[in-house]
Amino acid sequence: MKLRKYTIKMVALGAVLFGASACHDLLDEPKENTSFTEETDYTKTEDMILPLIGAYAEFNSRGWEDFPLMSVRGDDVNAGGLGDQQDFAEMDKFNYNKDFWMYNSTWQNLYADIFDTHSAMEQIELYKEFASNTAKADQYIAEAKVLRGWLLLQLSRVWGDVFITTSSDPSDLLVLDVASKDEVMQHLSDQMDEALPYLPALRPNERVDIPGGVTKYTALAIKALANQELKNYQGVADATSQIISSGKFSLEADFYNLFKIPGKLSSENLLELQASDFGQSSGDMVYYEFAALGPQGWSPKVKGADGGWGFYEPSLKWIKFMLDRGEETRLETSVLFTDRGIAEIKKDPKYTSLPAWISNTTPSGDVINDFSRAMFSSGKHYLPSDQLTPGRTRYGSNKNMIAIRYAEILLMHAEALVQGASSSAMTADAAVNTVRARAGLSNLSGVTLEQVMDEKFAELGMEWGIRYSDMVRLGKYDELSYEGRSFSEKLTFLPYPQNQVDLLPNLGAAQK
């Protein structure tokens, strides 16, 4: 559900941008141009923050389908959802259907929010003409640019060659040429360089004007991610070194609670999609629909708490990888086990004797019952029922969705160094061992690329398709060919949604 919390009114946008919230309600009319209402008084510069708040509101209110579509093709996670959304399960197996509603809806959701960020920037520019202090306007524009950067990064990771937008006018898509993925990533790196001088040198949780808002370090993280896609490892090292050397960030001591209410706006987080029920037992909420990722069947500690829909299942391959490493903290946090799932693990003679802590009862006391759609659910996207605001029952409500965290920065830094980059901020060994220490693992010395990627697999499993992007970038296609799947380079990107190809001539030409 998309909720606007600001007063600037805009003409409603049509099909090229705004997807519907359900698979049966997609629009097909061409997009109308964006316009600002004449009643907006841009001399009231105290209102200059409102367009930015609106951009944040849209950014935070992701459609539930966006995240699983971005993430499901890695070997860390399976589709789940057996018996529902068959094309989602087929996508997990690299069988793509360009007519599947999730493709079109995710494309629309991301571009809709990109155009919202352009609209915010344009409105702030109008306020800036009357502002006595233009520095604040420059900061707000830079923040919107960072939000746009993250959205465009996700689009290009999924579809490769995409449009680089330049204004809030959606009709531009009718004439824009599609940019290559490398061009998109270089554009993102350059855009973050443009934004950096105007952003506060704070952790997001240090901001008091917009708590959790983007900062200089969020922009540096997106710059590092873009350069990682370009395989410009010195660029990755340079950006991550600035984050590390700032001394601003640290790993949350409790890995389990990092992904729960105590981890909201943690000093580990550089970007998170924020949720709130405003501390009230009823009424409005801003939330991500975590139910899509949760178990269908459970006996919650707090009776009456809703269950999930049964999509998004940690893979047996990932679970066994973690067992082989002797992992407890990260495995227990990341997986919700059912009795059926535990029995499935034990079918392998290697795992007939499992640690006692592997149970269908979570550390918080919720019992995960067997359900038909999957054997496991994601613990990183689970909120214990006793952390729900009293009176609230919706699965995962009031839980933030972490998008970028310091552990990923450390491991990106380590990979860049073992790939040949240099840095005086931190050694690859120190970066990897910082992450391992929280997981209760011993130090490594002279880390190799394989060890760094194993650490990323363990630490970042089920998060934002990171594993899939890593394996594609490194050409490790055999890792993605698991449990009967067969992956090849030609399957890297999803086909463009057919609805968009029909609407946008240059998109159809690029597909050919």
Side-chain angles (χ1 to χ4, degrees), residues 179-208:
S180 71
K181 182 183 176 186
D182 281 357
E183 289 172 333
V184 173
M185 295 303 157
Q186 187 59 56
H187 169 75
L188 290 178
S189 182
D190 294 342
Q191 287 278 289
M192 295 307 100
D193 282 340
E194 288 182 14
L196 281 167
Y198 305 106
L199 294 167
L202 300 169
R203 284 192 312 272
N205 68 359
E206 290 181 308
R207 291 191 58 176
V208 295

Side-chain angles (χ1 to χ4, degrees), residues 238-469:
D238 291 343
T240 54
S241 291
Q242 291 185 64
I243 298 170
I244 293 166
S245 296
S246 74
K248 289 282 186 182
F249 296 90
S250 58
L251 299 186
E252 186 76 21
D254 188 330
F255 188 74
Y256 181 78
N257 272 320
L258 171 64
F259 301 95
K260 311 297 185 287
I261 296 300
K264 292 179 75 167
L265 299 187
S266 164
S267 294
E268 180 169 344
N269 299 337
L270 287 89
L271 181 65
E272 52 195 299
L273 311 182
Q274 295 190 56
S276 180
D277 57 19
F278 309 105
Q280 302 296 318
S281 62
S282 62
D284 287 343
M285 288 193 298
V286 178
Y287 63 94
Y288 175 77
E289 189 63 87
F290 282 104
L293 315 178
Q296 272 185 305
W298 72 336
S299 296
K301 181 178 178 181
V302 176
K303 295 188 183 305
D306 297 337
W309 304 348
F311 296 101
Y312 209 70
E313 178 184 38
S315 70
L316 269 172
K317 176 183 176 180
W318 188 83
I319 292 169
K320 291 178 179 179
F321 167 80
M322 297 295 276
L323 288 169
D324 291 345
R325 288 166 57 91
E327 297 267 1
E328 178 176 349
T329 300
R330 293 189 289 201
L331 179 54
E332 187 176 40
T333 294
S334 302
V335 179
L336 303 182
F337 296 92
T338 65
D339 284 340
R340 184 165 70 95
I342 293 170
E344 187 66 25
I345 298 170
K346 289 183 175 180
K347 287 180 182 179
D348 186 330
K350 186 177 178 181
Y351 305 102
T352 54
S353 179
L354 294 175
W357 54 263
I358 293 184
S359 165
N360 73 329
T361 300
T362 73
S364 299
D366 295 314
V367 178
I368 312 302
N369 302 320
D370 288 345
F371 60 98
S372 61
R373 288 187 173 180
M375 294 182 291
F376 313 99
S377 290
S378 172
K380 287 182 175 177
H381 303 100
Y382 147 75
L383 183 68
S385 64
D386 63 5
Q387 290 189 23
L388 290 168
T389 299
R392 298 288 188 175
T393 60
R394 197 175 199 111
Y395 188 88
S397 66
N398 200 32
K399 170 177 160 57
N400 286 2
M401 171 77 90
I402 301 170
I404 307 174
R405 55 191 182 90
Y406 188 53
E408 183 177 8
I409 299 302
L410 290 171
L411 294 173
M412 289 170 65
H413 182 79
E415 186 198 344
L417 298 189
V418 299
Q419 293 275 25
S422 59
S423 169
S424 60
M426 181 180 278
T427 66
D429 284 359
V432 169
N433 289 331
T434 299
V435 176
R436 287 174 61 86
R438 177 173 60 181
L441 302 181
S442 61
N443 284 348
L444 299 176
S445 178
V447 294
T448 64
L449 177 60
E450 181 180 5
Q451 288 173 318
V452 174
M453 301 317 295
D454 280 352
E455 206 60 43
K456 288 190 78 174
F457 194 27
E459 176 72 19
L460 302 168
M462 280 73 74
E463 297 183 48
W464 294 104
I466 293 169
R467 171 66 173 185
Y468 177 78
S469 295

Side-chain angles (χ1 to χ4, degrees), residues 39-57:
E39 66 194 51
T40 303
D41 183 356
Y42 292 104
T43 66
K44 294 180 61 179
T45 55
E46 65 270 21
D47 289 345
M48 185 166 58
I49 196 172
L50 296 179
L52 178 63
I53 292 173
Y56 274 111

